[in-house]
Coordinates of all heavy atoms in Angstrom, one line a residue:
M1 N 80.0 110.5 87.9 CA 81.1 110.8 87.0 C 81.1 109.7 85.9 O 80.9 108.5 86.2 CB 82.4 110.7 87.8 CG 83.6 110.9 87.0 SD 85.1 111.0 87.9 CE 85.7 109.3 87.8
R2 N 81.4 110.1 84.7 CA 81.5 109.2 83.6 C 82.9 109.1 83.1 O 83.6 110.2 83.0 CB 80.6 109.6 82.5 CG 79.1 109.3 82.7 CD 78.3 109.5 81.5 NE 77.0 109.0 81.8 CZ 76.0 109.0 80.9 NH1 76.3 109.5 79.7 NH2 74.8 108.6 81.3
L3 N 83.3 107.9 82.8 CA 84.7 107.7 82.2 C 84.5 107.6 80.7 O 83.5 107.0 80.2 CB 85.3 106.5 82.8 CG 85.6 106.4 84.3 CD1 86.1 105.0 84.6 CD2 86.7 107.4 84.6
S4 N 85.5 108.1 80.0 CA 85.5 107.9 78.6 C 85.7 106.4 78.3 O 86.2 105.7 79.1 CB 86.6 108.8 77.9 OG 87.8 108.3 78.2
R5 N 85.5 106.1 77.0 CA 85.7 104.7 76.6 C 87.2 104.3 76.8 O 87.6 103.3 77.3 CB 85.3 104.5 75.2 CG 85.4 103.1 74.7 CD 84.8 102.9 73.3 NE 83.5 103.4 73.1 CZ 82.3 102.7 73.5 NH1 82.5 101.5 74.0 NH2 81.2 103.2 73.3
A6 N 88.1 105.3 76.3 CA 89.5 105.0 76.4 C 90.0 104.9 77.8 O 90.8 104.0 78.2 CB 90.3 106.1 75.7
A7 N 89.5 105.7 78.7 CA 89.9 105.7 80.1 C 89.4 104.4 80.8 O 90.1 103.7 81.5 CB 89.4 106.9 80.9
S8 N 88.2 104.0 80.5 CA 87.7 102.7 81.0 C 88.5 101.5 80.6 O 88.8 100.7 81.4 CB 86.2 102.5 80.6 OG 85.4 103.6 81.1
W9 N 88.8 101.4 79.3 CA 89.6 100.3 78.8 C 91.0 100.3 79.4 O 91.6 99.3 79.7 CB 89.6 100.3 77.3 CG 88.3 99.6 76.8 CD1 87.3 100.3 76.1 CD2 87.9 98.3 76.8 NE1 86.3 99.4 75.8 CE2 86.7 98.1 76.2 CE3 88.6 97.1 77.3 CZ2 86.0 96.9 76.1 CZ3 87.9 95.9 77.2 CH2 86.7 95.8 76.6
F10 N 91.6 101.5 79.5 CA 92.9 101.7 80.1 C 92.9 101.1 81.5 O 93.8 100.4 81.9 CB 93.4 103.1 80.0 CG 94.7 103.3 80.7 CD1 95.9 102.9 80.1 CD2 94.8 103.8 82.0 CE1 97.1 103.1 80.7 CE2 96.0 104.0 82.6 CZ 97.2 103.6 82.0
L11 N 92.0 101.6 82.3 CA 91.9 101.1 83.7 C 91.7 99.6 83.8 O 92.4 99.0 84.6 CB 90.8 101.9 84.5 CG 91.1 103.4 84.7 CD1 89.8 104.0 85.3 CD2 92.3 103.6 85.5
L12 N 90.9 99.1 83.0 CA 90.6 97.6 83.0 C 91.9 96.9 82.6 O 92.3 95.9 83.2 CB 89.5 97.3 82.0 CG 89.1 95.8 81.9 CD1 88.8 95.2 83.3 CD2 88.0 95.6 80.9
A13 N 92.6 97.4 81.5 CA 93.8 96.7 81.1 C 94.9 96.9 82.1 O 95.7 95.9 82.4 CB 94.3 97.4 79.8
F14 N 95.0 98.0 82.8 CA 96.0 98.2 83.9 C 95.7 97.2 85.0 O 96.7 96.6 85.6 CB 95.9 99.6 84.4 CG 97.0 99.8 85.5 CD1 98.3 100.1 85.1 CD2 96.7 99.7 86.8 CE1 99.2 100.3 86.1 CE2 97.6 99.9 87.8 CZ 98.9 100.2 87.4
G15 N 94.5 97.0 85.4 CA 94.1 96.0 86.4 C 94.6 94.6 86.1 O 95.2 93.9 86.9
V16 N 94.3 94.2 84.8 CA 94.7 92.9 84.4 C 96.2 92.7 84.3 O 96.8 91.8 84.8 CB 94.1 92.6 83.0 CG1 94.6 91.3 82.4 CG2 92.5 92.5 83.1
W17 N 96.9 93.8 83.8 CA 98.3 93.8 83.7 C 99.0 93.7 85.1 O 99.9 93.0 85.3 CB 98.8 95.1 83.0 CG 100.3 95.2 82.9 CD1 101.1 94.7 81.9 CD2 101.1 96.0 83.8 NE1 102.4 95.1 82.2 CE2 102.4 95.9 83.3 CE3 100.8 96.8 84.9 CZ2 103.4 96.5 83.9 CZ3 101.9 97.4 85.5 CH2 103.2 97.2 85.0
S18 N 98.4 94.4 86.0 CA 98.9 94.4 87.4 C 98.9 93.0 88.0 O 99.8 92.5 88.6 CB 98.1 95.4 88.2 OG 98.6 95.4 89.5
W19 N 97.8 92.3 87.8 CA 97.6 90.9 88.3 C 98.6 90.0 87.6 O 99.3 89.2 88.2 CB 96.2 90.4 88.1 CG 95.4 90.7 89.3 CD1 94.7 91.8 89.6 CD2 95.3 89.8 90.4 NE1 94.1 91.6 90.8 CE2 94.4 90.4 91.3 CE3 95.7 88.5 90.7 CZ2 94.1 89.8 92.5 CZ3 95.4 87.9 91.9 CH2 94.6 88.6 92.8
F20 N 98.8 90.1 86.3 CA 99.7 89.3 85.5 C 101.2 89.5 86.0 O 101.9 88.5 86.3 CB 99.6 89.6 84.1 CG 100.6 88.8 83.2 CD1 100.5 87.5 83.0 CD2 101.8 89.5 82.7 CE1 101.4 86.8 82.2 CE2 102.7 88.8 82.0 CZ 102.5 87.4 81.8
I21 N 101.6 90.7 86.1 CA 102.9 91.0 86.6 C 103.2 90.6 88.0 O 104.2 89.9 88.3 CB 103.2 92.6 86.4 CG1 103.2 93.0 85.0 CG2 104.5 93.0 87.1 CD1 104.3 92.3 84.1
W22 N 102.3 90.9 88.9 CA 102.6 90.6 90.3 C 102.4 89.1 90.6 O 103.1 88.6 91.5 CB 101.7 91.5 91.2 CG 102.3 92.8 91.2 CD1 101.9 93.9 90.5 CD2 103.5 93.3 91.9 NE1 102.7 95.0 90.8 CE2 103.7 94.6 91.6 CE3 104.4 92.6 92.8 CZ2 104.7 95.4 92.1 CZ3 105.5 93.4 93.3 CH2 105.6 94.7 93.0
V23 N 101.6 88.4 89.9 CA 101.5 86.9 90.1 C 102.8 86.3 89.7 O 103.4 85.4 90.4 CB 100.3 86.3 89.4 CG1 100.4 84.8 89.3 CG2 99.0 86.7 90.1
S24 N 103.3 86.8 88.5 CA 104.6 86.3 88.1 C 105.7 86.6 89.1 O 106.6 85.8 89.3 CB 105.0 86.9 86.7 OG 104.0 86.6 85.8
F25 N 105.7 87.8 89.6 CA 106.7 88.2 90.6 C 106.7 87.3 91.8 O 107.7 86.9 92.3 CB 106.6 89.7 91.0 CG 107.6 90.1 91.9 CD1 108.8 90.5 91.5 CD2 107.3 90.2 93.3 CE1 109.8 90.9 92.4 CE2 108.2 90.6 94.2 CZ 109.5 91.0 93.8
V26 N 105.5 87.0 92.4 CA 105.4 86.3 93.6 C 105.8 84.8 93.3 O 106.5 84.2 94.1 CB 103.9 86.3 94.1 CG1 103.7 85.3 95.2 CG2 103.6 87.7 94.6
R27 N 105.5 84.3 92.1 CA 106.0 82.9 91.8 C 107.5 82.9 91.8 O 108.1 82.0 92.3 CB 105.5 82.5 90.4 CG 104.2 81.9 90.4 CD 103.9 81.3 89.0 NE 102.5 81.2 88.8 CZ 101.8 81.6 87.8 NH1 102.5 82.1 86.7 NH2 100.5 81.5 87.7
N28 N 108.1 83.9 91.2 CA 109.6 84.0 91.1 C 110.2 84.2 92.5 O 111.2 83.6 92.9 CB 110.0 85.1 90.2 CG 109.8 84.7 88.8 OD1 109.6 83.6 88.4 ND2 109.6 85.7 87.9
L29 N 109.5 85.0 93.3 CA 109.9 85.2 94.7 C 109.9 83.9 95.5 O 110.8 83.6 96.3 CB 109.1 86.3 95.4 CG 109.4 86.7 96.8 CD1 110.7 87.5 96.8 CD2 108.3 87.7 97.3
W30 N 108.8 83.2 95.3 CA 108.6 81.9 96.1 C 109.7 80.9 95.7 O 110.2 80.1 96.5 CB 107.3 81.4 95.8 CG 106.8 80.5 96.9 CD1 106.9 79.1 97.0 CD2 106.2 80.9 98.1 NE1 106.4 78.7 98.1 CE2 105.9 79.7 98.9 CE3 105.8 82.1 98.6 CZ2 105.3 79.8 100.1 CZ3 105.2 82.2 99.9 CH2 104.9 81.0 100.6
K31 N 110.1 80.9 94.4 CA 111.1 79.9 93.9 C 112.5 80.5 94.0 O 113.5 79.8 93.6 CB 110.8 79.6 92.5 CG 109.6 78.8 92.3 CD 109.5 78.4 90.8 CE 108.5 79.2 90.1 NZ 108.4 78.8 88.7
D32 N 112.7 81.6 94.7 CA 114.1 82.2 94.7 C 115.1 81.3 95.3 O 114.9 80.8 96.4 CB 114.0 83.5 95.6 CG 115.4 84.2 95.7 OD1 115.9 84.6 94.6 OD2 115.8 84.4 96.8
G33 N 116.2 81.2 94.6 CA 117.3 80.3 95.1 C 118.6 81.1 95.3 O 119.6 80.6 95.7
S34 N 118.5 82.5 95.2 CA 119.7 83.3 95.3 C 120.0 83.6 96.8 O 121.1 84.1 97.1 CB 119.5 84.6 94.6 OG 118.5 85.4 95.3
G35 N 119.1 83.3 97.7 CA 119.4 83.6 99.1 C 118.8 84.9 99.6 O 118.9 85.3 100.7
L36 N 118.2 85.7 98.7 CA 117.6 86.9 99.1 C 116.2 86.7 99.8 O 116.0 87.3 100.8 CB 117.3 87.8 97.8 CG 118.5 88.5 97.2 CD1 118.1 89.2 95.9 CD2 119.1 89.5 98.2
A37 N 115.4 85.8 99.3 CA 114.1 85.7 99.9 C 114.1 84.7 101.0 O 113.3 84.8 101.9 CB 113.1 85.2 98.8
F38 N 115.0 83.7 101.0 CA 115.0 82.7 102.0 C 116.5 82.5 102.5 O 117.4 82.5 101.7 CB 114.5 81.4 101.5 CG 113.0 81.4 101.1 CD1 112.7 81.6 99.8 CD2 112.0 81.4 102.0 CE1 111.3 81.7 99.4 CE2 110.7 81.4 101.7 CZ 110.3 81.6 100.3
D39 N 116.7 82.4 103.8 CA 118.0 82.2 104.3 C 118.4 80.7 104.1 O 117.7 79.9 103.5 CB 118.1 82.6 105.7 CG 117.2 81.9 106.7 OD1 116.7 80.8 106.3 OD2 117.0 82.3 107.8
G40 N 119.6 80.4 104.6 CA 120.1 79.0 104.5 C 119.2 77.9 105.1 O 119.2 76.8 104.6
A41 N 118.5 78.3 106.1 CA 117.6 77.3 106.7 C 116.2 77.2 106.0 O 115.4 76.4 106.4 CB 117.4 77.7 108.2
G42 N 116.0 78.0 105.0 CA 114.8 78.0 104.3 C 113.7 78.9 104.9 O 112.5 78.9 104.5
D43 N 114.1 79.7 105.9 CA 113.1 80.7 106.5 C 113.1 82.0 105.7 O 114.1 82.4 105.1 CB 113.5 81.0 107.9 CG 113.5 79.8 108.8 OD1 112.6 78.9 108.6 OD2 114.4 79.7 109.7
P44 N 111.9 82.6 105.6 CA 111.7 83.8 104.8 C 112.5 84.9 105.5 O 112.6 85.0 106.7 CB 110.2 84.1 104.9 CG 109.6 83.0 105.5 CD 110.6 82.1 106.1
T45 N 113.1 85.8 104.6 CA 113.9 86.9 105.1 C 113.0 88.2 105.1 O 111.9 88.2 104.6 CB 115.1 87.1 104.2 OG1 114.7 87.4 102.9 CG2 116.0 85.9 104.2
G46 N 113.6 89.3 105.5 CA 112.9 90.6 105.4 C 112.6 90.9 104.0 O 111.6 91.5 103.7
Y47 N 113.5 90.6 103.1 CA 113.3 90.9 101.7 C 112.0 90.2 101.2 O 111.2 90.8 100.5 CB 114.5 90.4 100.9 CG 114.4 90.5 99.4 CD1 114.9 91.7 98.8 CD2 113.9 89.5 98.6 CE1 114.8 91.8 97.4 CE2 113.8 89.6 97.2 CZ 114.3 90.8 96.6 OH 114.2 90.9 95.3
F48 N 111.8 89.0 101.6 CA 110.7 88.2 101.2 C 109.4 88.9 101.7 O 108.5 89.1 100.9 CB 110.7 86.8 101.7 CG 109.5 86.0 101.5 CD1 109.3 85.4 100.3 CD2 108.5 85.9 102.5 CE1 108.1 84.6 100.1 CE2 107.3 85.2 102.3 CZ 107.1 84.5 101.1
W49 N 109.4 89.2 103.0 CA 108.2 89.8 103.6 C 107.8 91.2 103.0 O 106.7 91.5 102.7 CB 108.3 89.9 105.1 CG 108.3 88.5 105.7 CD1 109.3 87.9 106.4 CD2 107.2 87.6 105.7 NE1 108.9 86.7 106.7 CE2 107.7 86.4 106.3 CE3 105.9 87.6 105.2 CZ2 106.9 85.3 106.5 CZ3 105.1 86.5 105.3 CH2 105.6 85.3 106.0
V50 N 108.8 92.0 102.8 CA 108.6 93.4 102.2 C 108.0 93.2 100.8 O 107.1 93.9 100.4 CB 109.9 94.2 102.2 CG1 109.8 95.4 101.3 CG2 110.3 94.6 103.6
H51 N 108.6 92.3 100.0 CA 108.2 92.2 98.6 C 106.8 91.5 98.5 O 106.0 91.8 97.6 CB 109.2 91.5 97.8 CG 110.4 92.5 97.5 ND1 111.4 92.7 98.4 CD2 110.6 93.3 96.4 CE1 112.2 93.6 97.8 NE2 111.7 94.0 96.7
L52 N 106.5 90.6 99.4 CA 105.2 90.0 99.5 C 104.2 91.0 99.9 O 103.1 91.1 99.3 CB 105.2 88.8 100.5 CG 103.9 88.0 100.5 CD1 103.6 87.4 99.2 CD2 104.0 87.0 101.6
L53 N 104.5 91.9 100.8 CA 103.6 93.0 101.2 C 103.3 93.9 100.0 O 102.2 94.3 99.7 CB 104.1 93.8 102.3 CG 103.3 94.9 102.9 CD1 101.9 94.4 103.4 CD2 104.0 95.7 103.9
L54 N 104.4 94.3 99.2 CA 104.2 95.1 98.0 C 103.3 94.4 97.0 O 102.5 95.0 96.4 CB 105.6 95.4 97.4 CG 106.5 96.4 98.1 CD1 107.9 96.3 97.5 CD2 105.9 97.7 98.1
A55 N 103.5 93.1 96.8 CA 102.7 92.4 95.9 C 101.2 92.3 96.3 O 100.3 92.6 95.5 CB 103.2 90.9 95.7
V56 N 101.0 92.1 97.6 CA 99.6 92.1 98.1 C 98.9 93.5 97.9 O 97.8 93.6 97.4 CB 99.5 91.7 99.6 CG1 98.1 91.9 100.1 CG2 99.9 90.2 99.6
A57 N 99.7 94.5 98.2 CA 99.1 95.9 98.0 C 98.8 96.1 96.5 O 97.8 96.7 96.2 CB 100.1 96.9 98.6
S58 N 99.7 95.7 95.7 CA 99.5 95.9 94.2 C 98.4 95.0 93.7 O 97.6 95.5 92.8 CB 100.8 95.5 93.5 OG 101.8 96.4 93.8
F59 N 98.1 93.8 94.3 CA 97.0 93.1 93.9 C 95.7 93.8 94.2 O 94.8 93.9 93.5 CB 96.9 91.7 94.7 CG 97.9 90.7 94.2 CD1 98.5 89.9 95.1 CD2 98.2 90.5 92.9 CE1 99.4 88.9 94.8 CE2 99.1 89.5 92.5 CZ 99.7 88.8 93.4
L60 N 95.7 94.4 95.5 CA 94.5 95.1 95.9 C 94.2 96.4 95.1 O 93.1 96.6 94.6 CB 94.6 95.5 97.4 CG 94.6 94.3 98.4 CD1 94.9 94.8 99.8 CD2 93.3 93.5 98.3
L61 N 95.3 97.1 94.8 CA 95.1 98.3 94.0 C 94.8 98.0 92.5 O 94.0 98.6 91.9 CB 96.4 99.2 94.1 CG 96.7 99.8 95.4 CD1 98.0 100.5 95.4 CD2 95.6 100.9 95.7
G62 N 95.4 97.0 92.0 CA 95.2 96.5 90.6 C 93.7 96.1 90.5 O 93.0 96.3 89.5
T63 N 93.2 95.4 91.5 CA 91.8 94.9 91.5 C 90.9 96.1 91.6 O 89.9 96.2 90.8 CB 91.6 94.0 92.7 OG1 92.4 92.9 92.6 CG2 90.1 93.5 92.7
A64 N 91.2 97.1 92.4 CA 90.3 98.2 92.5 C 90.3 99.0 91.2 O 89.2 99.4 90.7 CB 90.8 99.1 93.7
V65 N 91.4 99.3 90.6 CA 91.5 100.0 89.4 C 90.8 99.2 88.3 O 90.1 99.8 87.4 CB 93.0 100.3 89.0 CG1 93.1 100.7 87.6 CG2 93.6 101.3 90.0
G66 N 91.0 97.9 88.2 CA 90.4 97.1 87.2 C 88.9 97.1 87.3 O 88.1 97.1 86.3
V67 N 88.4 97.0 88.6 CA 86.9 97.1 88.8 C 86.3 98.4 88.3 O 85.3 98.4 87.7 CB 86.6 96.8 90.3 CG1 85.2 97.1 90.6 CG2 86.9 95.3 90.6
I68 N 87.0 99.5 88.6 CA 86.6 100.8 88.1 C 86.5 100.8 86.6 O 85.5 101.3 86.0 CB 87.5 101.9 88.7 CG1 87.3 102.1 90.2 CG2 87.2 103.3 88.0 CD1 88.4 102.9 90.9
G69 N 87.5 100.3 86.0 CA 87.5 100.2 84.5 C 86.4 99.4 84.0 O 85.7 99.7 83.0
L70 N 86.2 98.2 84.6 CA 85.1 97.3 84.2 C 83.8 97.9 84.3 O 82.9 97.8 83.4 CB 85.2 96.0 85.0 CG 84.1 94.9 84.7 CD1 84.3 94.5 83.2 CD2 84.2 93.8 85.6
R71 N 83.6 98.6 85.5 CA 82.3 99.3 85.7 C 82.1 100.4 84.6 O 81.0 100.6 84.1 CB 82.2 99.9 87.1 CG 82.1 98.8 88.1 CD 82.0 99.3 89.5 NE 80.7 100.0 89.6 CZ 80.3 100.6 90.7 NH1 81.1 100.6 91.8 NH2 79.2 101.2 90.8
G72 N 83.2 101.1 84.3 CA 83.1 102.1 83.2 C 82.7 101.5 81.8 O 81.9 102.0 81.1
V73 N 83.3 100.4 81.5 CA 83.1 99.7 80.2 C 81.6 99.2 80.2 O 80.9 99.4 79.2 CB 84.0 98.5 80.0 CG1 83.6 97.6 78.9 CG2 85.5 99.0 79.8
L74 N 81.2 98.6 81.3 CA 79.8 98.1 81.4 C 78.8 99.2 81.3 O 77.7 99.1 80.6 CB 79.6 97.3 82.6 CG 80.4 95.9 82.7 CD1 80.2 95.3 84.0 CD2 80.0 95.0 81.5
A75 N 79.1 100.4 81.9 CA 78.1 101.5 81.9 C 78.1 102.1 80.5 O 77.0 102.4 80.0 CB 78.6 102.6 82.8
L76 N 79.2 102.1 79.8 CA 79.2 102.6 78.4 C 78.4 101.6 77.5 O 77.7 102.1 76.6 CB 80.6 102.7 77.8 CG 81.4 103.9 78.4 CD1 82.9 103.7 78.1 CD2 80.9 105.2 77.9
R77 N 78.5 100.4 77.7 CA 77.7 99.4 76.9 C 76.2 99.5 77.2 O 75.4 99.5 76.3 CB 78.2 98.0 77.2 CG 79.5 97.6 76.6 CD 79.8 96.2 76.7 NE 81.1 95.9 76.0 CZ 81.7 94.8 76.0 NH1 81.1 93.7 76.5 NH2 82.8 94.6 75.4
R78 N 75.9 99.7 78.5 CA 74.4 99.9 78.8 C 73.9 101.2 78.2 O 72.8 101.2 77.7 CB 74.3 99.9 80.3 CG 74.2 98.6 81.0 CD 73.8 98.6 82.4 NE 74.6 99.5 83.2 CZ 75.7 99.1 83.9 NH1 76.0 97.9 83.8 NH2 76.4 99.9 84.6
A79 N 74.7 102.2 78.2 CA 74.3 103.5 77.6 C 74.1 103.4 76.1 O 73.2 103.9 75.5 CB 75.3 104.6 77.9
S80 N 75.0 102.6 75.4 CA 74.9 102.5 74.0 C 73.7 101.6 73.6 O 73.1 101.9 72.6 CB 76.2 101.9 73.4 OG 76.4 100.6 73.7
R81 N 73.4 100.6 74.4 CA 72.2 99.8 74.2 C 70.9 100.6 74.4 O 69.9 100.5 73.6 CB 72.1 98.6 75.1 CG 72.9 97.5 74.6 CD 72.6 96.2 75.4 NE 73.8 95.6 75.7 CZ 74.2 95.0 76.9 NH1 73.3 95.0 77.8 NH2 75.3 94.4 77.0
G82 N 70.9 101.5 75.4 CA 69.8 102.4 75.6 C 69.5 103.3 74.5 O 68.4 103.6 74.1
E83 N 70.6 103.9 73.9 CA 70.4 104.8 72.8 C 69.9 104.1 71.5 O 69.1 104.6 70.8 CB 71.8 105.4 72.4 CG 72.3 106.4 73.4 CD 73.7 106.9 73.2 OE1 74.3 106.5 72.2 OE2 74.2 107.7 74.0
R84 N 70.3 102.8 71.3 CA 69.9 102.0 70.2 C 68.4 101.6 70.3 O 67.7 101.5 69.4 CB 70.7 100.8 70.0 CG 72.0 101.0 69.3 CD 72.7 99.7 68.9 NE 73.7 99.5 70.0 CZ 74.1 98.4 70.4 NH1 73.6 97.3 70.0 NH2 75.1 98.3 71.4
G85 N 68.0 101.4 71.6 CA 66.6 100.9 71.8 C 65.6 102.1 71.8 O 64.4 101.8 71.6
A86 N 66.1 103.3 71.9 CA 65.1 104.4 72.0 C 64.7 104.9 70.6 O 65.2 104.7 69.6 CB 65.8 105.6 72.7

């Protein structure tokens, strides 16, 4: 299966965006002072664990989507070099 140039770049951009957003979210979650992520004793709450799990799943999916996009971009570049060389 071949991806179009636009689809490849979109998937790659989505993977990068996903990492940027979720890394920022985890940093904010870790520094939470509102009492949602950590209780009074400083122990993580259910809110913390659920959102950390969501972040990890999003890292994995964002990575997979980004890798698919990167492979599409690289395949298009190889194909265009092959056409120029022939």
